[in-house]
Amino acid sequence: MVERAPWGNGIGLSNKNILFGITGGIAAFKAAFYLRSLKNFGAKVVPVLTENAAKFVTPMTFSALANEKAWLDAFDSDPSSLFAHIEIPKDADCFVVCPATANCLAKAANGIADDLLTTMILAYKGSVLFFPSMNPAMYQNPATQNNIEKLRKLGHVVVEPATGQVACGDQGQGRLVEFEEFLHEVQSSLLPKPLLGKKILVTAGPTREPIDPVRFLSNKSSGKMGFEIAWACKMLGAEVTLIKGPTQLSPPNVHTLLSVETADEMFEAVKEVFPQMDVVIMTAAVADYTPERVSKTKIKKKDYGEENLNISLKKTQDILKYISRNRSSKQVIVGFCAETENLIENARKKLANKPVDMLVCNDITEKGAGFDKNTNKVSILYGDGSKIEELPLMSKANLALELMNRVSSLL
Ligand SMILES: Cc1cc2nc3c(=O)[nH]c(=O)nc-3n(C[C@H](O)[C@H](O)[C@H](O)COP(=O)(O)O)c2cc1C
């Protein structure tokens, strides 16, 4: 089964105050999961429901999941709540409305404040993140489209809903975005954008070198590190092209995704796109050798009798070397190297042979580092190798952000 990964691992959410509006759409039940996930990532989440949202999912559900009071009534008789519509938005680092009904979009676009949630939207000084969800006919209606345009002109973010089947069975655009997209938008709104306008190529995962129609040579790379980097680049504002080898994990949603199998296909894909990039991050574990000859039919044991089967391997193209020799001086190139011994010594040799701006090296025998783990511990060699920075053990999501912040300072 393909594992769905919430790339970014909640980076930037810890201790943030998130005001979470829920309106009366069928997707209100999904909001319960989305809200809980933000809380699990360390955010304080305050739910505010419209009267109609409470007909779909009870305030108690949201209150229990957030471990906070769920707000509903603008005219709460409790004196301490009288100015909640002004005070609560003041504290919010981020204000999301998920799902956002057509009705709520219409009211917010026109400054109507006839319940607690829409009053809070009007009182909020920042940009509100709306996640519309509705029947495709309602979404396409020019009235709704005009309201969305108005909201964007007012500086709010209205996330395009997904396309597919909606609750009533109709097909089209109107589904609430998947959690991964939702999380990206929320995290993104909380992070600075040092990579805005930059084009970044990330390679990730292993390659597969075929022996015959059923067998191949590959390696243990899961693609996790590269996917986290692609995600971090996207969150920091870059336009990301991701070239991935075969992975079990589903990749993050990026501007351009190219899937390849072999080292040769990876090389051709990289060669094609890398000249247009500002930054190239090579995390893919590309095979160094590939079978010289690929059998068209399955290799049978009987063909070899008692003999051992010898497979002759030929060298593949060294992609990092190719890039380091054909780069422009304006491009920032980052290579990765995984070692099992003499980490820095081997990394220095690699850097001398393949001059890149940053070489991120890790000893895969160290606890918590290397393939298929959620954490990593790396050292970074810069430029000529004279400067080395050792980073502590951290999540790959955190590391991705750390690396990309360093890359942005080289641009
Ligand atoms: C079963 C049912 C499902 C609905 N689903 C949606 C929906 O997904 N999106 C939407 O915009 N409106 C939907 N509506 C209509 C809204 O509930 C209605 O416009 C309501 O006034 C919204 O109130 P609110 O924006 O104050 O929460 C639905 C109505 C019903 C009865």
Side-chain angles (χ1 to χ4, degrees):
M1 200 182 92
V2 173
E3 187 186 327
R4 274 210 79 78
W7 300 112
N9 202 23
I11 295 298
L13 291 176
S14 181
N15 299 319
K16 288 288 186 286
N17 257 318
I18 298 177
L19 188 50
F20 199 119
I22 303 123
T23 63
I26 197 73
F29 79 96
K30 291 188 188 169
F33 163 71
Y34 290 15
L35 172 146
R36 177 59 181 213
S37 302
L38 296 183
K39 175 155 173 64
N40 287 347
F41 286 133
K44 175 185 169 182
V45 192
V46 178
V48 188
L49 287 84
T50 62
E51 296 280 351
N52 287 325
K55 291 176 186 148
F56 288 85
V57 184
T58 67
M60 195 189 292
T61 303
F62 288 102
S63 180
L65 292 172
N67 199 16
E68 290 287 335
K69 172 176 170 139
W71 294 85
L72 182 71
D73 185 0
F75 300 98
D76 199 317
S77 56
D78 177 353
S80 66
S81 305
L82 285 182
F83 291 98
H85 62 288
I86 307 293
E87 295 306 324
I88 294 177
K90 266 188 200 159
D91 292 339
D93 297 304
C94 172
F95 191 168
V96 305
V97 180
C98 173
T101 55
N103 178 53
C104 176
L105 297 175
K107 289 202 277 183
N110 292 287
I112 295 172
D114 63 353
D115 61 12
L116 183 57
L117 178 62
T118 48
T119 310
M120 284 178 169
I121 293 172
L122 204 57
Y124 188 58
K125 291 197 175 136
S127 159
V128 179
L129 276 174
F130 291 94
F131 293 91
S133 165
M134 65 199 70
N135 175 277
M138 289 171 77
Y139 184 69
Q140 289 309 336
N141 190 302
T144 304
Q145 290 302 314
N146 282 340
N147 290 328
I148 291 174
E149 212 180 300
K150 266 190 189 175
L151 285 167
R152 287 183 176 143
K153 278 195 184 134
L154 290 169
H156 299 299
V157 176
V158 184
V159 177
E160 291 282 316
T163 300
Q165 193 179 49
V166 293
C168 61
D170 287 355
Q171 292 279 346
Q173 191 177 13
R175 280 173 64 85
L176 182 65
V177 290
E178 293 297 329
F179 177 66
E180 191 194 47
E181 192 70 23
F182 167 83
L183 182 64
H184 163 70
E185 293 295 343
V186 176
Q187 287 180 293
S188 207
S189 75
L190 292 164
L191 287 167
K193 297 280 166 284
L195 298 176
L196 197 67
K198 299 295 175 200
K199 290 186 173 177
I200 301 191
L201 169 64
V202 182
T203 67
T207 59
R208 279 183 186 169
E209 308 306 315
I211 296 169
D212 69 10
V214 292
R215 303 180 181 95
F216 55 79
L217 295 174
S218 191
N219 58 61
K220 287 183 167 180
S221 169
S222 63
K224 242 176 219 169
M225 191 66 240
F227 289 174
E228 288 291 6
I229 287 180
W231 185 249
C233 291
K234 189 178 162 178
M235 283 198 299
L236 297 177
E239 180 187 297
V240 181
T241 298
L242 175 61
I243 303 180
K244 64 170 273 294
T247 56
Q248 287 295 307
L249 296 169
S250 61
N253 186 4
V254 291
H255 182 266
T256 308
L257 175 69
L258 302 168
S259 294
V260 299
E261 285 267 323
T262 64
D264 195 40
E265 286 171 14
M266 177 80 77
F267 174 62
E268 291 302 325
V270 170
K271 204 166 75 168
E272 171 92 24
V273 297
F274 108 88
Q276 297 106 53
M277 298 292 149
D278 299 296
V279 180
V280 180
I281 321 267
M282 300 284 294
T283 60
V286 183
D288 294 325
Y289 295 93
T290 190
E292 206 159 21
R293 191 184 146 263
V294 181
S295 172
K296 286 202 174 70
T297 53
K298 186 180 169 192
I299 297 170
K300 296 285 201 191
K301 260 195 284 188
K302 68 175 171 45
D303 297 339
Y304 291 87
E306 292 305 306
E307 297 294 311
N308 286 339
L309 166 63
N310 292 312
I311 299 172
S312 171
L313 301 175
K314 63 176 180 190
K315 257 191 159 177
T316 59
Q317 179 82 34
D318 188 328
I319 304 178
L320 189 61
K321 192 167 172 182
Y322 175 86
I323 286 182
S324 68
R325 308 269 160 105
N326 291 279
R327 61 180 289 181
S328 91
S329 57
K330 284 192 196 134
Q331 289 178 310
V332 172
I333 313 290
V334 181
F336 272 69
C337 82
E339 297 290 341
T340 52
E341 57 191 349
N342 305 329
L343 181 65
I344 301 298
E345 198 186 314
N346 286 334
R348 277 216 171 95
K349 278 185 199 154
K350 186 165 177 170
L351 196 59
N353 194 24
K354 303 169 199 180
V356 293
D357 301 281
M358 279 167 65
L359 187 63
V360 182
C361 37
N362 63 319
D363 182 340
I364 53 171
T365 61
E366 271 209 44
K367 203 166 173 258
F371 298 121
D372 208 22
K373 305 242 169 55
N374 288 322
T375 53
N376 208 353
K377 186 173 181 308
V378 304
S379 296
I380 306 171
L381 273 73
Y382 290 88
D384 61 2
S386 54
K387 186 180 158 206
I388 301 177
E389 188 183 9
E390 211 176 303
L391 298 183
L393 181 71
M394 63 179 87
S395 73
K396 284 185 174 169
N398 247 327
L399 176 60
L401 220 68
E402 290 287 336
L403 293 176
M404 292 323 299
N405 279 326
R406 283 162 177 74
V407 166
S408 71
S409 68
L410 297 178
L411 281 165

